[in-house]
Amino acid sequence: MAVIRLHLPAAADPDSAGTGAGSPPDRSYDIICGRGILDQVGDRLTAAGVRRAVVVSDAAVAASHARRVSESLAARGIQVIPVEIPSGEASKSLSEAGRVWGILAERAVDRSTHIVAVGGGVVGDLAGFVAATFARGIPVWQVPTTLVAQVDSAIGGKTGINLPAGKNLVGAFWQPSGVFSDIDTLATLPNREYLSGLAEVVKYGMIFDPGFFAWLEAHAAELVDRSPEPLAHAVERSAALKAAVVERDEREITGARAALNYGHTFAHAFETAAGYGRLLHGEAVAIGMSCAARLAADMGRIAADIPGRQDAILTSLGLPISLAGVGPLAADELLAIMARDKKSVGGRLRFVLPSRIGAVDLVADVDEPLVRRVLAG
Ligand code: GLY
């Protein structure tokens, strides 16, 4: 088991920290990674003084992982209110948030009740958003049960829902009180979903840590097989790298946290143009990273062998590096979507691009013909 401490100072406004009075508490929290962690949630929440918990999950995990967490809480005398949301991105909606707010109101939830989010990114984002907004903020604990949630979305406090006009357009930064990542939950993930999470793991090596990138190159086959020891290391290292960047730039102000968007400008355009659901997010990120590395090489920012090295590791992890399986997407449409991306300024194209393995920069004003060339393959 590994415990990674994410250090954050107290919030300026004591009310927003959910205490209501007195000096605001430090918002640092632990990310606990390892095997059998689901059964420890009750002990840890008891130690934190929790007496009542709303366990939010979806149909995929309600009868399995969420039940185990609820049993662990009940065994320590914590009263559990289970709330199940439908599986899938459609649950990140105002109507679903409203339904959950209604249940919390009916059950007289107040700031002494904690939310425990058990599931993947949709559950974590929705439950986190409900926690951020109900009664002006109640504490939330994240229990991610997918790879992408364990290495990315459950850490760092981004919560939100989608609008018809775009994903994550309404939300809040609301840091969890703790994160419990049990890698045993990854054993039963559908293969495509599991592999897609590995794209975000490769991303950490590319943007922050050349040693980790080399380690991933050496252990790709074991990760594809979900071998527990290498998998635990991959989750722990990714979580530690994410925690470090959130500590430096919690609200994505300095640009440090924006490094996490490596490959994502291309990826969002591919997902939007292909139609949501055709590409899993991690698959789109893998293709997006491949494009971003080739763009960086064409601009002379990185050595010519780096795109090939990155493509090789993505391929060995069973991830796509081109749109071949999706069919042709019109460059004009992709460029229009990228120009609307929140990282673009005034329609000018901006990308997170590597300067070497382990370092990236936000590069403004990238010439459109160069992007077209990369899109053409
Ligand atoms: N997933 C990107 C971030 O947390 O900033």
Side-chain angles (χ1 to χ4, degrees):
M1 185 184 85
V3 180
I4 297 150
R5 185 84 176 152
L6 194 160
H7 295 275
L8 287 172
D13 168 15
D15 206 41
S16 74
T19 58
S23 58
D26 178 274
R27 294 174 304 126
S28 302
Y29 56 91
D30 288 337
I31 301 157
I32 299 167
C33 304
R35 305 190 66 182
I37 304 294
L38 293 185
D39 302 319
Q40 297 182 18
V41 177
D43 288 351
R44 300 240 169 207
L45 266 66
T46 301
V50 181
R51 304 303 312 146
R52 196 169 182 239
V54 178
V55 176
V56 181
S57 67
D58 68 3
V61 300
S64 51
H65 308 319
R67 176 173 296 174
R68 247 175 84 195
V69 170
S70 295
E71 284 169 0
S72 157
L73 296 169
R76 298 304 307 258
I78 296 174
Q79 185 197 344
V80 173
I81 301 169
V83 173
E84 189 179 320
I85 65 168
S87 295
E89 191 71 24
S91 281
K92 281 181 59 175
S93 65
L94 186 57
S95 64
E96 194 56 26
R99 193 182 71 85
V100 180
W101 285 327
I103 295 170
L104 302 193
E106 254 170 46
R107 302 298 296 262
V109 163
D110 62 17
R111 289 182 188 171
S112 67
T113 305
H114 291 218
I115 288 185
V116 180
V118 185
V122 168
V123 171
D125 282 7
L126 178 75
F129 177 67
V130 166
T133 46
F134 190 81
R136 297 200 181 90
I138 62 178
V140 62
W141 301 77
Q142 294 283 353
V143 188
T145 59
T146 64
L147 183 55
V148 73
Q150 292 188 358
V151 300
D152 185 15
S153 58
I155 301 165
K158 279 191 181 174
T159 73
I161 57 173
N162 302 327
L163 295 184
K167 285 183 73 168
N168 298 321
L169 276 185
V170 175
F173 285 98
W174 190 249
Q175 296 295 339
S177 301
V179 180
F180 300 94
S181 293
D182 189 334
I183 64 153
D184 289 341
T185 63
L186 307 181
T188 49
L189 278 186
N191 204 41
R192 206 175 145 200
E193 187 177 349
Y194 169 75
L195 295 177
S196 124
L198 289 174
E200 302 282 357
V201 174
V202 172
K203 184 189 77 178
Y204 286 111
M206 272 304 290
I207 66 178
F208 292 139
D209 187 343
F212 184 45
F213 187 89
W215 181 90
L216 290 168
E217 290 180 311
H219 293 84
E222 292 150 272
L223 290 172
V224 169
D225 289 345
R226 311 189 198 190
S227 184
E229 243 178 74
L231 180 54
H233 177 70
V235 170
E236 285 164 25
R237 187 68 197 138
S238 300
L241 290 165
K242 172 96 192 237
V245 75
V246 171
E247 284 176 358
R248 292 204 332 263
D249 184 19
E250 182 188 358
R251 297 207 167 215
E252 211 166 292
I253 290 166
T254 68
R257 188 167 179 164
L260 299 172
N261 292 322
Y262 174 54
H264 283 59
T265 303
F266 285 106
H268 289 151
F270 299 151
E271 287 177 284
T272 308
Y276 284 107
R278 284 206 42 219
L279 279 169
L280 296 183
H281 178 65
E283 294 169 343
V285 168
I287 305 168
M289 290 195 295
S290 181
C291 291
R294 279 186 285 121
L295 180 60
D298 287 352
M299 294 171 74
R301 292 178 48 85
I302 52 171
D305 67 314
I306 292 181
R309 242 179 107 183
Q310 185 188 256
D311 282 352
I313 187 169
L314 292 170
T315 305
S316 63
L317 292 171
L319 289 160
I321 53 168
S322 81
L323 290 164
V326 183
L329 300 176
D332 285 343
E333 186 186 352
L334 294 170
L335 283 160
I337 298 167
M338 286 190 245
R340 290 198 302 267
D341 189 281
K342 51 184 186 279
K343 287 171 294 305
S344 297
V345 173
R348 292 179 185 280
L349 296 167
R350 294 207 300 178
F351 293 90
V352 175
L353 296 178
S355 51
R356 58 179 168 82
I357 290 178
V360 285
D361 302 303
L362 189 55
V363 181
D365 242 344
V366 175
D367 285 340
E368 192 184 296
L370 286 174
V371 181
R372 280 187 187 274
R373 201 164 103 188
V374 162
L375 290 172

